[in-house]
Amino acid sequence: MTQTAVIAGGSGFVGGALIRALQADGWTVRQIGRSGPDARWDDPESLARTMDGADLLINLAGKSVNCRYTEANRDEVYRSRIDTTRALREAVIAAASPPSLWLNASTATIYRYALDRPQTESSGELGSGFSVDVARNWEAEFFADDLPATRRVALRMAIVLGDGPANDLLFRLARLGLGGPQIDGWWFPHRRYRGTGPHPSGDGRAPWHRSHGRQRFSWIHIDDVVGSVRFIHDHPELDGVVNLAAPHPSDNRGLMAALRRTVGMPVGLPAWRFMLEPAMWALRTEPELLVKSRWVIPETLTRAGYRFVQPDLEPALRHIWASRLMRSREQ
């Protein structure tokens, strides 16, 4: 029998890849968004109706964090995750035949800045500040209430590599000769990264570290996001939180060196924090995306037997770059 998946917030890079993969597997896909096509966020009845009889629910809704953390953007980043997750939970409760599995996006940024040891589902330590509070409250909203017929898994995703926005920026920097390490350091105090939600964490100050470009870089290839979703679906013993990250993270210096080799650029100028801050202001995004040390290991997936398609960074980058070159020649 044909299985049915409901995808919420599927208009982006990850959502598009999952929709194509599920349809290729023979699934019927229903989509939820601001304007549908199958259900709208402002129509609770359509949400419950779309949920009814589905086998799988995947929620990817939320404003991109690739923005400046102005007051308006901070509120929207938070609200777009909490409100949509609450609406979906209420729709699952209202459905006569709710989905048996609900996968909800989360983020590996929930863990603390780590240079000393990797963060796993069993031993990882949560951090503090805005991004962590968003993730913490997002997961709390997701796991609220008792849903006895629905298995729930929060996907703590690292940076997703593929034909998406993360690689667009990284490849562009490397090709322009700007593919050196991004080096953290002192900057004028600000409060854009202060905590949020009902119980804000941290002291409100923007952190900085003398990492010398050795901040850890955790990542996952889009093919392994798709593969992990299939794997979790097929393994009913998996629930709770699951790290979606490749088993072999890099650091920032290693990442940028691999990028330079991939695009054939022999040099890459380093960027210190005092250079990153005005550049990120001009690009309307945050240096935190480059200088935070994210060291995340997929303990649950590895122990359950998942085999990564792209476990190593440089082969993954070369695969993405070769696919882009082939596509550009065909066009």
Side-chain angles (χ1 to χ4, degrees):
M1 295 179 62
T2 300
Q3 293 181 295
T4 299
V6 177
I7 309 290
S11 60
F13 161 55
V14 174
L18 284 170
I19 290 170
R20 291 190 296 272
L22 289 169
Q23 289 175 334
D25 290 345
W27 289 68
T28 296
V29 176
R30 304 170 185 166
Q31 296 185 57
I32 299 171
R34 283 189 295 269
S35 57
D38 299 298
R40 300 192 318 272
W41 292 114
D42 61 355
D43 184 355
E45 290 185 3
S46 73
L47 292 176
R49 186 170 58 249
T50 300
M51 211 73 63
D52 197 20
D55 304 281
L56 171 65
L57 167 61
I58 303 176
N59 179 29
L60 304 168
K63 177 180 171 58
S64 171
V65 295
N66 186 18
C67 63
R68 292 295 283 184
Y69 292 167
T70 62
E71 288 301 314
N73 284 340
R74 279 169 51 94
D75 289 345
E76 181 63 13
V77 166
Y78 184 87
R79 185 200 60 77
S80 63
R81 286 160 173 76
I82 304 303
D83 290 356
T84 53
T85 301
R86 180 183 301 119
L88 290 175
R89 193 181 71 252
E90 292 171 350
V92 170
I93 293 172
S97 179
S100 58
L101 174 61
W102 178 4
L103 304 178
N104 209 74
S106 182
T107 173
T109 300
I110 197 170
Y111 296 111
R112 66 172 174 83
Y113 186 106
L115 288 173
D116 55 336
R117 65 176 180 85
Q119 306 295 294
T120 68
E121 297 94 335
S122 63
S123 64
E125 300 169 298
L126 304 191
S128 62
F130 174 68
S131 298
V132 172
D133 286 353
V134 169
R136 193 197 313 266
N137 287 288
W138 195 9
E139 291 187 2
E141 192 68 48
F142 173 52
F143 287 116
D145 292 330
D146 184 26
L147 304 179
T150 302
R151 173 167 58 108
R152 286 178 282 187
V153 178
L155 305 175
R156 290 181 175 173
M157 274 188 275
I159 293 173
V160 181
L161 301 184
D163 193 14
N167 268 118
D168 288 342
L169 174 62
L170 293 172
F171 282 139
R172 189 181 307 120
L173 289 173
R175 294 184 72 188
L176 291 173
L178 303 175
Q182 286 90 40
I183 302 171
D184 198 4
W186 182 86
W187 184 249
F188 299 102
H190 63 78
R191 290 177 53 80
R192 297 193 308 276
Y193 301 164
R194 70 188 184 280
T196 190
H199 303 289
S201 66
D203 58 12
R205 295 179 295 179
W208 61 272
H209 305 81
R210 295 196 183 280
S211 62
H212 305 288
R214 293 297 181 187
Q215 63 268 25
R216 304 295 294 186
F217 177 74
S218 289
W219 59 279
I220 186 169
H221 191 280
I222 186 61
D223 289 351
D224 283 308
V225 173
V226 173
S228 297
V229 166
R230 288 175 172 142
F231 185 85
I232 293 169
H233 174 265
D234 294 340
H235 287 73
E237 72 277 10
L238 299 180
D239 63 1
V241 298
V242 174
N243 290 345
L244 261 57
H248 304 146
S250 179
D251 63 14
N252 183 261
R253 287 182 179 272
L255 163 68
M256 303 313 291
L259 282 165
R260 295 195 301 272
R261 290 190 293 267
T262 297
V263 303
M265 175 58 69
V267 297
L269 297 176
W272 282 267
R273 185 66 176 259
F274 72 87
M275 301 163 65
L276 282 173
E277 286 284 351
M280 295 297 100
W281 175 85
L283 293 171
R284 307 312 298 162
T285 189
E286 289 291 344
E288 180 188 54
L289 301 177
L290 295 174
V291 299
K292 180 174 178 178
S293 186
R294 300 171 177 86
W295 192 355
V296 181
I297 295 295
E299 177 185 64
T300 296
L301 284 176
T302 302
R303 287 184 176 177
Y306 178 71
R307 296 175 64 87
F308 281 81
V309 178
Q310 297 286 353
D312 299 298
L313 179 60
E314 188 159 346
L317 292 172
R318 291 185 179 276
H319 171 77
I320 297 165
W321 184 244
S323 298
R324 289 189 172 205
L325 292 178
M326 183 178 300
R327 188 168 55 255
S328 65
R329 293 192 191 103
E330 292 173 349
Q331 294 172 349

